[in-house]
Amino acid sequence: MDSQTLSTEQAYEAAFRFVAQYFGREQDSESLELMLIAMEPSADYARTNDPASWSDWLKCVSETLSGEPLPSVGK
């Protein structure tokens, strides 16, 4: 696949789709399901089922663009 640039909104949708496809394989994860419900995009990209999700997303975009280290995940 050729390198392409996504808008902030498209990147959010791609992240949602990525997590949703993972959830499709791991459907016993209630916390993952709750996260997907909260972050589901609405027609207005500044709005999600959980109003904080969009501002959290913008913070993550900003951290990525500024080169912040990735958070450590796992045990």
Side-chain angles (χ1 to χ4, degrees):
M1 176 179 264
D2 293 329
S3 177
Q4 297 179 343
T5 301
L6 299 175
S7 69
T8 300
E9 293 84 4
Q10 289 171 317
Y12 185 88
E13 184 176 325
F16 179 82
R17 290 173 187 274
F18 182 80
V19 175
Q21 62 85 28
Y22 183 86
F23 177 70
R25 294 189 308 269
E26 302 292 330
Q27 293 184 358
D28 61 337
S29 175
E30 184 179 348
S31 59
L32 192 55
E33 181 179 19
L34 292 173
M35 183 184 82
L36 281 168
I37 290 168
M39 71 180 284
E40 185 172 9
S42 69
D44 175 4
Y45 276 101
R47 301 179 75 122
T48 60
N49 284 333
D50 175 0
S53 291
W54 188 248
S55 61
D56 290 346
W57 173 254
L58 293 177
K59 179 178 182 258
C60 292
V61 169
S62 176
E63 289 174 355
T64 299
L65 291 173
S66 68
E68 294 287 325
L70 290 172
S72 178
V73 179
K75 298 177 185 198

